[in-house]
């Protein structure tokens, strides 16, 4: 019931927003980093401690407003092993606060390697007689463009551990169309639409009580016509919608990603919330909270 659980959390707060945690050091107020540099010197340890402090403070400030959080793994990984530990601790903290945790890692591989990735993030690793969940997040982003054998290991783990997967279908970046919009030879179908069909087909046996399959789709807010097309086509697919705010997507753009019952999608905002203090001034947590309230208001008007 992983996506059913996410939808329930969205309904509780009437807010289909996911907080994107992209801990680029440029988004973190200098005083936070300086605090840990003073304690530990300049280096990755100070940066990782600052990132964790910053992320958990934002979670504290927003956990009553948003239903979910989406840490971007790359920004933690760039800080090395101590950064990965900060990611793990941040995910654990968010879940303890009642948030649904989507790890944005865009993993993609096949066979035993895909199974290892899925065990790491969604499942557990057996060490002797003990099964240990390394990250234990609720959902993971994956790259669907390797085909079904790059997704099926993640589905198997998701089913076993009641987790979910968001597969890249129509992404929000400017160059997405270079491949995703190409016509498939001999048809009038765009490549991304076939990828959408693929994830729907291989996960159709695994519908939860809300009618959603185990594999959701990443569908960018910056391409509303394509999002509307995919929404009509993928009836049982939950959408993760990036591209809102800083990338140009509006509330009206993302409204087409929701189904007829105004469910089945969650909209990401990263810089628009976490870096709001740069425009608004004052406390970064208060600025983030104000920005999250504004986004919630805009989405409620457009979606509900």
């Amino acid at each position: 019931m992983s996506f059913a659980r996410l939808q329930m959390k969205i309904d509780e707060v009437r807010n289909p927003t996911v907080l994107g945690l992209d801990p680029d050091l440029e988004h973190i107020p200098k005083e936070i980093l300086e605090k840990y540099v003073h304690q530990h010197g300049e280096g990755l340890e100070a940066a990782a401690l600052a990132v964790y402090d910053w992320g958990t403070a934002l979670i504290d400030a927003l956990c009553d407003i948003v239903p979910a959080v989406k840490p971007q793994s790359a920004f933690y990984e760039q800080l090395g092993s101590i950064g990965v530990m900060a990611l793990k601790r941040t995910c654990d903290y968010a879940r303890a606060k009642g948030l649904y945790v989507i790890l944005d890692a865009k993993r993609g591989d096949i066979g035993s390697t895909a199974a290892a990735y899925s065990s790491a993030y969604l499942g557990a690793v057996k060490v002797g007689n003990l099964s240990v969940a390394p990250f234990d997040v609720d959902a993971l982003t994956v790259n669907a463009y390797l085909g079904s054998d790059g997704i099926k290991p993640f589905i198997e783990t998701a089913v076993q551990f009641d987790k979910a997967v968001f597969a890249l279908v129509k992404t929000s970046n400017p160059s997405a169309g270079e491949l995703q919009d190409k016509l498939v030879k001999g048809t009038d179908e765009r490549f991304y639409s076939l990828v959408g069909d693929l994830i729907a087909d291989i996960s159709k046996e695994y519908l939860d009580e809300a009618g959603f399959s185990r594999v959701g789709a990443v569908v960018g807010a910056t391409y509303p016509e394509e999002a509307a097309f995919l929404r009509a086509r993928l009836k049982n697919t939950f959408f993760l919608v990036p591209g809102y705010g800083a990338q140009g997507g509006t509330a009206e753009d993302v409204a087409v990603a929701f189904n007829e019952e105004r469910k089945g999608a969650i909209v990401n905002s990263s810089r628009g919330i976490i870096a709001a203090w740069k425009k608004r001034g004052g406390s970064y947590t208060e600025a983030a909270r104000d920005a999250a309230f504004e986004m919630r208001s805009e989405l409620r008007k457009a979606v509900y």
Side-chain angles (χ1 to χ4, degrees):
M1 62 172 288
S2 187
F3 283 137
R5 187 167 70 250
L6 174 56
Q7 186 62 60
M8 181 178 66
K9 289 181 178 293
I10 292 171
D11 292 343
E12 286 174 355
V13 293
R14 286 193 72 238
N15 183 14
T17 296
V18 54
L19 167 65
L21 283 182
D22 295 4
D24 188 320
L25 293 179
E26 292 184 359
H27 298 327
I28 299 176
K30 289 183 179 180
E31 60 268 21
I32 300 177
L33 180 58
E34 288 172 353
K35 169 186 173 182
Y36 290 104
V37 167
H38 178 74
Q39 295 176 6
H40 301 279
E42 292 183 335
L44 296 179
E45 182 178 9
L49 289 169
V51 161
Y52 176 73
D53 189 335
W54 168 87
T56 53
L58 285 171
I59 289 168
D60 285 341
L62 299 174
C63 63
D64 63 327
I65 304 173
V66 302
V69 64
K70 183 175 71 66
Q72 168 48 257
S73 183
F75 290 102
Y76 294 89
E77 291 177 34
Q78 71 176 351
L79 301 178
S81 59
I82 196 167
V84 175
M85 181 56 70
L87 171 62
K88 161 65 174 170
R89 293 175 62 208
T90 300
C91 291
D92 290 346
Y93 191 88
R95 292 196 75 195
K97 286 288 184 176
L99 296 176
Y100 188 96
V101 179
I102 303 166
L103 181 57
D104 192 358
K106 298 181 180 69
R107 296 301 187 225
D109 218 308
I110 59 173
S112 60
T113 310
Y117 276 136
S118 65
S119 295
Y121 296 111
L122 302 174
V125 176
K126 194 165 185 180
V127 183
N129 294 319
L130 181 66
S131 290
V132 182
F135 282 89
D136 199 25
V137 298
D138 296 295
L140 175 72
T141 59
V142 302
N143 190 341
Y145 283 80
L146 279 77
S148 60
D149 56 357
I151 307 171
K152 286 180 179 179
F154 293 96
I155 296 176
E156 293 171 2
T157 304
V159 170
Q160 181 181 356
F161 291 91
D162 192 23
K163 303 299 178 68
V165 175
F166 281 108
L168 302 181
V169 175
K170 177 58 181 172
T171 56
S172 60
N173 56 302
S175 64
E178 292 175 359
L179 294 176
Q180 296 169 20
D181 290 355
K182 295 295 184 183
L183 287 171
V184 177
K185 187 175 182 179
T187 77
D188 60 355
E189 298 281 3
R190 303 289 179 181
F191 188 24
Y192 73 81
S193 69
L194 297 189
V195 176
D197 289 345
L198 172 67
I199 67 167
D201 182 62
I202 63 177
S203 62
K204 64 186 177 183
E205 298 177 21
Y206 308 107
L207 300 184
D208 62 25
E209 58 266 44
F212 300 118
S213 70
R214 284 285 167 181
V215 184
V218 177
V219 179
T222 47
Y223 301 103
E225 291 185 12
E226 291 85 344
F229 170 80
L230 287 167
R231 179 73 283 165
R233 192 167 178 130
L234 306 177
K235 301 291 187 181
N236 302 111
T237 304
F238 207 103
F239 284 11
L240 170 62
V241 186
Y244 179 91
Q247 285 183 262
T250 67
E252 289 72 24
D253 292 333
V254 304
V256 299
F258 293 79
N259 63 23
E260 295 176 355
E261 298 176 345
R262 299 185 175 92
K263 298 179 185 295
I266 192 162
V267 183
N268 178 76
S269 179
S270 299
R271 283 172 289 168
I273 294 177
I274 65 175
W277 62 274
K278 291 185 174 183
K279 293 182 178 180
R280 298 168 186 258
S283 163
Y284 75 98
T285 53
E286 290 179 3
R289 190 171 174 85
D290 289 343
F293 272 127
E294 288 180 10
M295 181 176 175
R296 183 184 71 175
S297 177
E298 292 170 358
L299 290 179
R300 282 181 175 178
K301 289 177 182 177
V303 175
Y304 301 122

